[in-house]
Amino acid sequence: MDTFTFKRAASVAEAVAAATAGVDAKFLAGGQTLLPVMKQGLAAPSDLVSLARVAAMQGIGVNGGMISIGAMMRHADVAAHGEIKALLPALSVLAGGIADPHVRNRGTIGGSLANNDPAADYPAAVLGLGATVVTDRRRIAADDFFQGMFTTALEAGELITRVEFPVPERAGYIKFPHPASRYALVGVMASKSAQGVRVAVTGAGACVFRATALEQALAKSFTPGALDGVAVGADDLTSDRAGSASYRAHLITVLAKRAVARALEVRS
Amino acid sequence: MTELSMTVNGVVRRAAAAPTVLLSTFLRESLKLTGTHVGCDTSQCGACTVIVDGRSIKSCTMLAVEADGAAITTIEGVAKSDGTLHPVQEAFRAHHALQCGFCTPGMVMASVALLAHTPNPTDAQVRHGLEGNMCRCTGYQNIVDAVLAASQSMKGA
């Protein structure tokens, strides 16, 4: 990979300052996407700002009906966390199904969200659970955060510090993993809370999105049967050698039913 | 170049490295610990798996500088100093869990890490736990058998 200046930040302010000072600086969280991309020559940042020692980006806190996860928490941390297992098992399941154990030991929730891969799991959790992305300068609602393929509302030098998940009444996540990469061919997070029903779909299009037809059907009755005959259009979905757009469209309803069934199995 | 210091297999090791140097390269070329294999170099095959501060990671996808100050175990560090094999290594031999052997260092390290947090895994847990490690020879069955056998033999240890 091309050379870069390595900087280690001790605080959020230091990280943002270091990133802003660089010509083309990037934050280094777990590096599980950034380092492979740099090795391929697809990215060549001038500076890498390591976030490993930023205390404010660590830790998982539960306060009332809110779970606050530090942006540097590894997927394995989220998957194994006792209170998350008890309060929001759909999130543990999702985190424990990302990639493989070694990647889960390095990859972080903040890194995954900032990257916004079209087939990543965490965007479905954030959008499907109505989470809030907290940065060094503001709070961004899930509905405003994801803007397109590898594109988010983050400004240059803006750093995700934490992610806040409201605990829903019920939630379930099901993914149909690509057999080799374990990325979602399609993944669906369905949840029900006082704010309503949310169904978020990853893997199927250029960016995670809410399946409004499914949400409307589930708002009447949060049961798998409510989705009988409810189809999702294939027009804007992805076609590749792993599956056509119409195949993915079909999978969305199938997986949404399973996600609702799982949500009803366990209190979440 | 930055002077790095890490405890590798119980011994403090120091060497200088440029920021671009991967942990796999640092282990193999600076510390001459060539038991850690580099297979795909794209974070997929798991041959380069080592344990950093108690967690299995792919050393081709971590900068050496990020491991500064860490405690690392590589395949060279799992057997006892008198040469007695680790129960996982012994089980791999007994169950013919390797053929060409290229993936084996990573498989053993992944299995050691798996058994550390899941001492009594089911067949399905072993397969899920080894998802990050590819073997192109064995078809995995004997590897799973070996890990299950190691979990039994480690109970008495």
Side-chain angles (χ1 to χ4, degrees), chain A residues 70-261:
Chain A
M72 279 300 287
M73 294 311 285
R74 319 283 175 177
H75 309 326
D77 298 325
V78 174
H81 194 267
E83 283 177 293
I84 295 179
K85 274 186 187 170
L87 293 170
L88 190 43
L91 188 60
S92 319
V93 166
L94 179 145
I98 297 171
D100 62 59
H102 320 313
V103 171
R104 289 195 290 276
N105 279 335
R106 292 292 300 159
T108 67
I109 184 170
S112 171
L113 294 174
N115 189 48
N116 193 22
D117 188 293
D121 295 275
Y122 265 129
V126 167
L127 190 61
L129 296 167
T132 301
V133 177
V134 183
T135 77
D136 63 296
R137 61 199 70 171
R138 58 183 169 149
R139 301 169 58 82
I140 308 173
D143 288 316
D144 301 324
F145 184 79
F146 304 102
Q147 299 197 337
M149 187 178 281
F150 297 110
T151 306
T152 70
L154 292 172
E155 298 164 354
E158 186 171 12
L159 178 63
I160 301 175
T161 55
R162 303 196 75 81
V163 186
E164 294 180 357
F165 290 90
V167 177
E169 291 166 32
R170 300 198 175 272
Y173 180 70
I174 301 281
K175 111 165 129 171
F176 192 94
H178 185 287
S181 72
R182 316 314 287 176
Y183 271 98
L185 195 65
V186 175
V188 177
M189 174 67 84
S191 75
K192 179 177 186 288
S193 71
Q195 283 71 46
V197 171
R198 299 178 77 100
V199 178
V201 179
T202 189
C207 179
V208 66
F209 63 91
R210 289 175 68 177
T212 47
L214 304 184
E215 290 181 353
Q216 285 161 11
L218 290 169
K220 290 174 194 151
S221 167
F222 194 76
T223 56
L227 299 178
D228 285 341
V230 182
V232 173
D235 285 354
D236 296 325
L237 301 188
T238 304
S239 278
D240 58 23
R241 61 184 177 175
S244 65
S246 59
Y247 179 73
R248 281 183 163 88
H250 179 72
L251 263 183
I252 291 170
T253 303
V254 170
L255 297 182
K257 285 184 181 184
R258 292 182 192 168
V260 171

Side-chain angles (χ1 to χ4, degrees), chain A residues 1-4 6 8 28 31-32 35-36 39 48 50 53 74 77 96 99-102 104-106 182, chain B residues 19-20 22 41-44 46 49 55-58 60-63 65-66 68 110 128-133:
Chain A
M1 66 179 86
D2 289 352
T3 193
F4 53 84
F6 181 83
R8 198 188 292 286
L28 176 63
Q32 299 303 282
L35 293 177
K39 287 161 80 173
L48 278 190
S50 170
R53 295 186 188 165
R74 319 283 175 177
D77 298 325
D100 62 59
H102 320 313
R104 289 195 290 276
N105 279 335
R106 292 292 300 159
R182 316 314 287 176
Chain B
T20 52
L22 301 165
D41 206 13
T42 56
S43 198
Q44 296 175 62
T49 304
R55 295 177 168 220
S56 60
I57 61 101
K58 292 177 175 174
C60 83
T61 310
M62 181 173 182
L63 297 176
V65 65
E66 287 276 77
D68 190 25
H128 185 61
L130 295 179
E131 249 173 15
N133 297 78

